[in-house]
Amino acid sequence: MNQFGFSINKDKSIDMDKTSQKLTQYLTTEEPSFNICMSCGTCSATCSAGNFTDFSLRRINLLVLRGQLDEVRDEVNKCMLCGKCTLLCPRGVNTRGVIVAIKQYFDKL
Amino acid sequence: MKKVLIIGGGVAGMEAAGQLAVLGYSVVLVERKDVLGGHVRKWDRLFPNKRPSEEVVNHLLQKVQHPNVEIRLKRTVTDLRRNPNGSFLAILSDQSPVSADVVLFATGYHLFDAYRKEEYGYGIYNNVITSADLERMFKNGEVKTAEGKIPQRVGIVHCVGSRDTKCGNLYCSRVCCVTGVKQAIELKELIPNVEVFNFYMDLRMFGRGFEQLYLEAQQKHRVRFVRGRLSEASETQDHGIFLKVDDTLVGRPMKMTVDMLVLMVGFEPRKTTFPLLESLGIEKNEDGFIKIRDCHFDENRTNVDGIYVAGTCTSAKSISETINDACSAALQIHRNLSAKVKDKRK
Ligand code: SF4
Ligand code: SF4
Ligand code: SF4
């Protein structure tokens, strides 16, 4: 019950001193092309899933790097693995492979 | 023999001196320091191919070893006047006079004084250093914090003193992006497990080989790039540097502690040359760099006849660009001085 109208906002900021780098390390061995993403957003612009939900592979890549693994786990299931993004990525990231590896990581946990 | 006075013995001045000497001009090269070479001497290895800076300096030193070049070290030009016949008379700081048919300003730039960006803590926190300080450490072969420890996490801040109206500098200094990437790679090569984060607003990888360096930084060295300008730095109890930045691509603020913070300081006009420029009526841009006659067709002449410019005294340039600019200045001087070729534009 919120009797006094006081509440404390959760800190929105990402604290890089506390976040986990485990998934980043996993991807670096399993799908190293993950590291060369330049956040251009071509993948997310073409993605059908992204047109209907707030799913974005560009953002997922960053969330992995920032250790926001809970968010990544929820988001990654929205991908249909169609592979359209892989055709377009100008940096040559195996985007579909990145998603598959992320899913594998969570499955193994 | 026609005579050219070159003010500034850095890359531009040396290259121009070498070219003009070969073209048959008598050159007086005035340098305020006790050695030629300018800023390049401070650098350890150069982008894009990690060439040791001495190679560039030595290459240029060889060029100025020419009977037509007279080098005057540890001197500045204190007075410069035009004679009634259009030639110039300069007085150096040792009172010696130098007469010349034309004068080339190759006076270079000044590195942004990072103290002025107070919120980043340079000069306040010992583990905040500049790109030039880091080069000095590379030259000595070891990078350590002020406490003598090997840093495990380093932050590199782009655009320090550039693209910032609070510093009065609207322009981009052009070479600090690639320097940031180069230094990130060098840190990774020197300290195997170091984490490196580059904080940038835009990555300007315009030159030959620059984009490849960026790719190498990501692919081979796992350098992390964060789009967002550092808002402030503060010191932690154990002398780490605590950073606050907006991770603009994620859309959330980010904080982290680094062991060392490196500021990519930009170019500024060399203010000590202003009195000389003003005494001759040489125009400057709003940003303080010397104004060129035309940004496409006439980059090496100023508004004053007989006063030429080369290198970074007109804008931020890489070494390759500075050398090209100096060649083009030499050619322009040659065209205007040589009796055989009449310059119709004049
Ligand atoms: S298209 Fe490729 S480089 Fe661009 S954001 Fe997506 S994965 Fe990254
Ligand atoms: S593979 Fe996944 S992320 Fe890529 S376009 Fe298809 S749905 Fe989108
Ligand atoms: S080159 Fe890069 S770091 Fe330097 S001022 Fe321009 S954008 Fe900033």
Side-chain angles (χ1 to χ4, degrees):
Chain A
M1 216 187 344
N2 192 352
Q3 285 186 324
F4 301 102
F6 292 128
S7 65
I8 292 173
N9 289 342
K10 217 176 131 234
D11 187 353
K12 258 179 60 211
S13 65
I14 296 173
D15 185 346
M16 289 298 282
D17 295 343
K18 295 193 179 127
T19 54
S20 158
Q21 289 300 303
K22 285 212 178 99
L23 181 49
T24 301
Q25 280 152 15
Y26 181 81
L27 289 179
T28 295
T29 29
E30 296 304 314
E31 187 47 71
S33 71
F34 158 77
N35 286 294
I36 61 175
C37 169
M38 56 180 179
S39 295
C40 68
T42 312
C43 53
S44 37
T46 192
C47 174
S48 317
N51 286 338
F52 296 100
T53 67
D54 52 12
F55 172 73
S56 155
L57 179 55
R58 174 190 69 72
R59 207 169 126 83
I60 286 191
N61 281 344
L62 288 168
L63 290 172
V64 172
L65 287 168
R66 308 295 183 253
Q68 304 300 300
L69 302 195
D70 291 339
E71 253 179 273
V72 173
R73 191 206 309 255
D74 296 342
E75 283 291 303
V76 82
N77 288 321
K78 295 177 185 162
C79 165
M80 302 168 289
L81 295 176
C82 69
K84 217 169 140 193
C85 50
T86 313
L87 293 176
L88 291 184
C89 173
R91 200 73 158 164
V93 178
N94 180 6
T95 47
R96 198 168 164 278
V98 170
I99 305 249
V100 171
I102 293 174
K103 282 171 177 273
Q104 273 171 355
Y105 174 84
F106 288 119
D107 287 347
K108 281 186 194 160
L109 283 185
Chain B
M1 202 190 270
K2 300 259 187 185
K3 211 164 161 187
V4 182
L5 166 65
I6 300 181
I7 310 176
V11 172
M14 291 169 87
E15 175 69 28
Q19 297 289 352
L20 287 164
V22 173
L23 288 167
Y25 296 94
S26 155
V27 177
V28 178
L29 181 59
V30 179
E31 164 59 38
R32 70 194 172 98
K33 292 252 174 89
D34 55 359
V35 281
L36 295 175
H39 289 284
V40 182
R41 284 194 183 268
K42 291 187 211 153
W43 257 236
D44 179 36
R45 291 189 294 165
L46 307 172
F47 63 78
N49 59 354
K50 299 176 199 153
R51 160 180 280 150
S53 67
E54 294 84 51
E55 279 185 24
V56 169
V57 175
N58 291 338
H59 169 89
L60 292 169
L61 278 175
Q62 269 180 0
K63 282 196 164 174
V64 297
Q65 293 305 314
H66 191 285
N68 288 351
V69 182
E70 188 190 325
I71 298 164
R72 304 271 185 94
L73 296 173
K74 287 200 276 187
R75 287 171 183 83
T76 54
V77 176
T78 50
D79 190 34
L80 187 57
R81 262 171 226 194
R82 190 189 283 280
N83 297 319
N85 68 355
S87 67
F88 293 90
L89 177 68
I91 307 293
L92 305 191
S93 48
D94 62 356
Q95 309 300 327
S96 62
V98 177
S99 58
D101 293 288
V102 298
V103 180
L104 175 65
F105 277 76
T107 43
Y109 66 97
H110 180 74
L111 268 181
F112 176 77
D113 193 349
Y115 292 99
R116 273 170 55 202
K117 196 78 192 148
E118 222 174 301
E119 59 270 39
Y120 291 172
Y122 186 74
I124 306 170
Y125 313 132
N126 292 334
N127 287 319
V128 179
I129 63 171
T130 65
S131 40
D133 297 332
L134 185 59
E135 290 293 329
R136 209 169 301 132
M137 293 186 184
F138 285 145
K139 260 187 191 288
N140 295 333
E142 68 175 15
V143 172
K144 284 193 173 158
T145 65
E147 293 72 44
K149 283 190 236 135
I150 293 172
Q152 294 306 304
R153 197 189 243 184
V154 179
I156 292 181
V157 188
H158 289 227
C159 302
V160 178
S162 313
R163 307 176 70 197
D164 186 351
T165 44
K166 288 280 156 34
C167 299
N169 296 335
L170 268 179
Y171 51 86
C172 162
S173 289
R174 302 180 75 249
V175 299
C176 15
C177 265
V178 63
T179 300
V181 171
K182 182 206 73 144
Q183 292 192 335
I185 293 175
E186 289 177 299
L187 281 167
K188 285 279 191 173
E189 283 172 346
L190 197 65
I191 309 167
N193 290 318
V194 69
E195 280 184 280
V196 182
F197 292 85
N198 285 51
F199 300 97
Y200 69 95
M201 294 198 287
D202 302 280
L203 278 179
R204 299 189 162 168
M205 296 292 148
F206 60 90
R208 190 189 300 118
F210 294 7
E211 190 66 27
Q212 287 89 324
L213 269 190
Y214 171 37
L215 183 61
E216 181 191 330
Q218 287 189 305
Q219 199 161 37
K220 194 165 159 203
H221 302 287
R222 324 281 186 229
V223 175
R224 301 305 176 198
F225 291 87
V226 181
R227 196 189 76 183
R229 188 178 188 127
L230 179 67
S231 64
E232 57 187 297
S234 51
E235 197 175 44
T236 62
Q237 254 175 353
D238 47 2
H239 306 292
I241 306 294
F242 181 71
L243 309 179
K244 273 172 147 182
V245 61
D246 187 5
D247 191 346
T248 59
L249 289 172
V250 175
R252 277 161 68 183
M254 178 202 264
K255 48 192 181 189
M256 72 159 82
T257 314
V258 294
D259 300 322
M260 187 182 260
L261 188 66
V262 189
L263 309 178
M264 294 295 121
V265 282
F267 286 51
E268 286 207 309
R270 197 179 273 291
K271 294 209 171 73
T272 47
T273 61
F274 286 4
L276 207 54
L277 296 174
E278 277 147 24
S279 75
L280 284 157
I282 301 170
E283 287 173 10
K284 302 192 288 289
N285 302 315
E286 251 175 51
D287 61 19
F289 287 98
I290 303 176
K291 194 170 185 171
I292 51 177
R293 278 209 195 181
D294 186 283
C295 66
H296 291 118
F297 314 118
D298 213 350
E299 291 205 46
N300 297 109
R301 292 198 297 170
T302 64
N303 61 310
V304 177
D305 280 339
I307 304 282
Y308 296 78
V309 274
T312 53
C313 60
T314 59
S315 65
K317 288 183 185 69
S318 68
I319 291 173
S320 328
E321 290 166 335
T322 300
I323 289 179
N324 288 342
D325 198 49
C327 286
S328 106
L331 189 58
Q332 179 87 59
I333 290 172
H334 175 51
R335 189 164 71 186
N336 291 15
L337 281 186
S338 103
K340 288 190 211 101
V341 189
K342 282 259 177 292
D343 188 354
K344 290 200 187 75
R345 287 188 297 177
K346 209 177 158 203

